[in-house]
Amino acid sequence: ELDEIEKEEAITKGWIAPFKYMILKDDVNYERIYWNGHKYKEDQLNKLLMIPRRDETIIREYKKEAQGKKTIGFCVSIDHAIRIAESFNKAGIKAEAIHSMEQFLKKEEREKIVEDFKKGDLEVLFAVDIFNEGVDFPDVECLLLLRETQSHIIRSQQLGRGLRISPGKEKVLVMDF
C-alpha cells in the first residue's frame, strides 16, 4: 500500500525542513535555445546564462537574502560552475565549483572541496551533475537553482539537498533564478 502526504504534513511531522521558495525572474528566453526533448543545448545555455549582469544579480540577491548561509548552487555546466564560483570569490564569498568530470577535477580534489564545505571553510558550492543524490549536508540552508530543468525528478533531488533536518536550522531558502 502506498501512502502519500503533502509537504505541509511532512514539515509539521518534522520529516523535512520548512522552506521559503523565491522565484527570481531574468530575461533569458529559453525558446531561443535548442531543446531535444530531454535537455537544452549546453553551449547555447552557457552563452545566455554566463553573462556578467546575471552573475551580479545572483550575487546581489544572495547577499541580500542568504549571506552567511551554507549554500549549494546547481549550474548548467562545468564552465558555468567555475565562472560563478570565481564571481562569488571576487565578491568576497568563499565558493568552489564541484563536478564529476575526473579529467578536470580529481577525486581527491573533490573530496577536499566537500570536506572544506562540511567544515564551513566554504560558504557556497556550485555543483554540476553531482549532489543530485547520495550526499548528505543536513546543515545546508540555501539552494541556488541557476539552471533550467524540465525534469521533476532532478528538481526534487536538488530540493532534497536542502530539506534535511539539522539542529539549529529554521528553514531552507530556495532561490530559483
Side-chain angles (χ1 to χ4, degrees):
E1 180 181 326
L2 177 64
D3 285 336
E4 287 189 29
I5 65 169
E6 297 293 322
K7 66 182 175 293
E8 291 81 9
E9 184 180 350
I11 291 168
T12 301
K13 291 185 179 215
W15 295 345
I16 63 172
F19 60 93
K20 176 182 177 183
Y21 201 103
M22 295 176 64
I23 297 173
L24 298 116
K25 294 213 177 256
D26 56 27
D27 59 359
V28 175
N29 182 356
Y30 287 93
E31 291 176 7
R32 295 177 28 211
I33 305 170
Y34 177 74
W35 170 257
N36 69 7
H38 175 64
K39 65 186 216 175
Y40 288 104
K41 191 164 180 172
E42 187 176 297
D43 63 332
Q44 291 179 345
L45 269 178
N46 280 343
K47 201 177 289 183
L48 288 174
L49 298 180
M50 293 173 46
I51 56 173
R53 190 183 64 194
R54 188 170 193 266
D55 293 351
E56 291 161 9
T57 299
I58 292 165
I59 290 167
R60 183 180 64 249
E61 293 299 324
Y62 174 82
K63 284 183 169 182
K64 186 169 90 180
E65 300 289 340
Q67 182 84 50
K69 295 183 184 301
K70 187 175 277 193
T71 301
I72 297 175
F74 293 97
C75 298
V76 71
S77 67
I78 293 170
D79 289 340
H80 183 219
I82 291 169
R83 177 195 170 101
I84 194 75
E86 287 172 355
S87 296
F88 267 63
N89 280 302
K90 286 178 187 168
I93 303 162
K94 290 184 179 178
E96 280 284 353
I98 190 164
H99 51 80
S100 59
M101 298 290 284
E102 289 241 1
Q103 65 265 39
F104 301 113
L105 187 66
K106 300 288 180 232
K107 182 181 179 203
E108 300 78 29
E109 295 172 283
R110 211 170 36 250
E111 288 171 353
K112 178 166 181 2
I113 291 169
V114 167
E115 190 57 37
D116 288 348
F117 185 63
K118 284 182 176 179
K119 289 189 307 190
D121 294 342
L122 294 172
E123 193 171 332
V124 184
L125 277 187
F126 290 101
V128 181
D129 297 333
I130 196 170
F131 297 164
N132 285 349
E133 57 187 43
V135 297
D136 191 26
F137 302 114
D139 55 346
V140 165
E141 294 181 275
C142 180
L143 300 172
L144 300 175
L145 308 180
L146 306 179
R147 57 164 286 192
E148 174 64 24
T149 183
Q150 297 295 317
S151 168
H152 295 296
I153 293 171
I154 289 173
R155 183 62 82 219
S156 293
Q157 290 170 333
Q158 291 172 344
L159 290 172
R161 299 296 65 86
L163 297 179
R164 306 275 195 272
I165 300 294
S166 181
K169 180 170 158 180
E170 293 180 26
K171 70 178 175 198
V172 177
L173 176 60
V174 181
M175 299 176 75
D176 188 344
F177 290 85

